Amino acid sequence: MAEKEITIKDVARLAGVSVATVSRVMNGRDRVSDATRKKIQRIIEELNFVPNTMAASMVNKKTHMLAVVVPEIQNPFYTAVIGGTVEAAKKEGFSTLVVSTYNDEAEEEEFFEGFLGRNVDGIILIGTHKEAGFYRNIRKPTILVDRYINDCGHDGVLIDNFRGAYEAAKHFVEYGHERIAIIDGAHDFNDGKDRYWGYHQALHEHGIVPEPGYHKQGKWLEEDGYRFTMELMQSAEPPTAIFATNNVICTGAIKAIRDLNLRIGEDISLIGFDENELAQFVQPRVTVVGRPMREMGIQATEMLIQKIKTPPGEQTKLKRIVLDVELIKRGSVKKLN
C-alpha cells in the first residue's frame, strides 16, 4: 500500500478497532487499553502512516489559531464571550475558530478527538461534559470559562455566581417579599449550584424557609422559564417574586407573565441573571444580575496566550479568576413593605 493512499480508516481496519479508537491513540487520550494502544502504534509505524500533510507539518510548530468552544451560539452570553475572545486574540496575532457543541457531550468529544481539536494552539472552553476526567484528558492549553468542575486540571475564568444570586434574593427580601420562587436548570456545574445556594442563603439569613414548591428546576431554556412561570402563577398560592437564573429563562418568564395579562413590578416582581433584550425593553425594565460577559472572554484569552507562550517546565499552579457581578436595579421589583 503506497504511503499516500493510507488513511486512518486503513489503520482502524487492520487493527480491528474503530476510527475513534485510532484517533484517541494518535491524540494521546487515556481511554484505550495498553494492549490496543500498542497494537495501533505498531501498525502506524509499520505503515509509516502520517495522518495528513498539514497535521504533520504542525507537530513542532504553532498555528496561531485558538478555538472557542461553546454549547451554542444563539445565547447572547456565549456571543459576548466569543466577542471578547476574538478581540483579545486579534491583538496578539491569533486567529479564532468558533465551535458549537450543541450542548452535546459526543459533539464536544468529537472536536477534541478530531482534526480541528488537534490543530489549534489552545482552547477557550465552556464545557458540556459533567466529569472532571474528561477535562483532565485534554492535552492542549485550555481555559474553562463560566462552567467549572473541581480537579479538572485547567485554569478558569468565572464570575461570582453565589453573590449574584444572593444579592438578587436579598433585594426581594428587603422589598418585603417572602414568597420568592427560583427557576433554574441542572446543578451539573459550579454556576447552577452557586446560584441556587446564593438564593437559599439570602432567604435563610432573613428567617425565610424556602418553599420546595417555589423551586422549579428543568433545563436552562426559554421554554422552561415560560412553563414554570405559568405553573407558579396559576398555583393556589403564587409567589410574589420570581428569580430567573439565566437570560433565556428570564425571557420565558417575561413572555409567560405577558400571556397571563399580568404586570411586571405590580402583579409579580422579577429579577433575571444576565441582560437580555426583553429585560431591557419591556416596561418597566427588568432588574438583572449583570456580569462582565465580554471581559470573561478577554481575560480567558489573555490567560490562554500566556499559557501557550510559557514553556511547560515553567508552568505555575492552576488558578481561577473570579470576576465580580452587579445587581442592576430597575423597576421590576415591587415594594411590599
Side-chain angles (χ1 to χ4, degrees):
M1 187 180 294
E3 181 179 328
K4 67 179 180 180
E5 298 175 347
I6 299 170
T7 68
I8 192 171
K9 291 182 179 179
D10 297 320
V11 176
R13 176 175 54 79
L14 292 171
V17 299
S18 68
V19 171
T21 300
V22 177
S23 177
R24 289 189 184 99
V25 171
M26 291 167 53
N27 207 29
R29 311 279 290 193
D30 292 340
R31 291 173 297 156
V32 181
S33 69
D34 287 340
T36 300
R37 184 183 302 279
K38 290 177 181 177
K39 182 178 181 181
I40 292 170
Q41 289 171 337
R42 176 176 55 79
I43 291 172
I44 288 173
E45 290 174 4
E46 289 176 354
L47 296 178
N48 193 25
F49 172 58
V50 177
N52 58 66
T53 304
M54 184 177 178
S57 69
M58 292 178 178
V59 170
N60 294 311
K61 298 180 181 179
K62 299 297 184 183
T63 65
H64 279 81
M65 174 76 74
L66 305 179
V68 52
V69 182
V70 297
E72 44 107 348
I73 57 176
Q74 286 78 28
N75 189 316
F77 167 66
Y78 301 136
T79 304
V81 172
I82 292 169
T85 297
V86 171
E87 175 187 326
K90 187 175 181 180
K91 288 181 179 178
E92 296 293 331
F94 284 78
S95 299
T96 309
L97 169 73
V98 178
V99 178
S100 172
T101 61
Y102 306 99
N103 263 310
D104 185 281
E105 292 185 356
E107 288 281 347
E108 186 172 73
E109 187 167 332
E110 186 173 325
F111 165 76
F112 283 104
E113 294 179 349
F115 172 76
L116 292 177
R118 294 196 303 272
N119 289 294
V120 294
D121 291 344
I123 299 158
I124 304 293
L125 174 62
I126 302 178
T128 298
H129 268 266
K130 316 298 189 299
E131 300 296 330
F134 171 81
Y135 300 99
R136 288 198 299 269
N137 283 333
I138 298 173
R139 305 302 186 198
K140 293 284 184 179
T142 300
I143 307 294
L144 299 186
V145 176
D146 190 45
R147 298 175 175 179
Y148 198 84
I149 294 179
N150 292 333
D151 301 320
C152 64
H154 298 284
D155 296 333
V157 175
L158 318 173
I159 56 108
D160 195 340
N161 289 286
F162 183 94
R163 195 181 82 80
Y166 176 89
E167 293 296 332
K170 187 177 78 166
H171 185 51
F172 281 139
V173 174
E174 290 174 343
Y175 272 44
H177 294 270
E178 295 184 358
R179 302 203 309 272
I180 304 169
I182 180 172
I183 304 175
D184 65 5
H187 295 174
D188 295 319
F189 300 96
N190 62 296
D191 54 353
K193 294 175 187 175
D194 289 350
R195 290 178 201 180
Y196 175 75
W197 287 110
Y199 152 89
H200 191 281
Q201 181 67 22
L203 268 58
H204 175 75
E205 286 183 3
H206 291 84
I208 300 172
V209 178
E211 169 59 48
Y214 288 159
H215 180 200
K216 297 294 186 180
Q217 186 174 30
K219 297 181 179 179
W220 299 91
L221 299 174
E222 180 181 321
E223 48 262 43
D224 277 359
Y226 183 93
R227 175 167 63 93
F228 288 137
T229 300
M230 283 286 190
E231 290 180 8
L232 287 164
M233 299 313 299
Q234 293 175 326
S235 63
E237 189 173 26
T240 62
I242 295 175
F243 177 36
T245 53
N246 82 347
N247 51 358
V248 292
I249 288 176
C250 185
T251 296
I254 293 169
K255 291 180 178 179
I257 293 167
R258 176 198 60 194
D259 288 351
L260 289 167
N261 292 316
L262 299 175
R263 296 165 298 168
I264 294 174
E266 288 293 334
D267 303 309
I268 180 68
S269 292
L270 177 68
I271 296 179
F273 206 109
D274 284 343
E275 289 285 12
N276 68 78
E277 288 189 0
L278 279 182
Q280 292 188 60
F281 295 115
V282 295
Q283 290 298 326
R285 294 194 300 161
V286 177
T287 294
V288 296
V289 178
R291 57 174 164 171
M293 300 181 289
R294 192 177 185 88
E295 183 65 21
M296 293 175 76
I298 291 172
Q299 294 230 13
T301 305
E302 290 174 350
M303 286 175 63
L304 179 61
I305 292 173
Q306 181 62 41
K307 199 175 187 73
I308 291 169
K309 292 179 177 180
T310 302
E314 299 177 18
Q315 298 284 356
T316 58
K317 64 179 182 180
L318 295 179
K319 58 184 177 182
R320 285 184 290 178
I321 293 177
V322 180
L323 303 179
D324 206 358
V325 297
E326 177 188 6
L327 184 65
I328 304 171
K329 298 177 182 179
R330 294 166 177 159
S332 64
V333 180
K334 181 181 181 179
K335 272 192 175 181
L336 300 183
N337 53 354

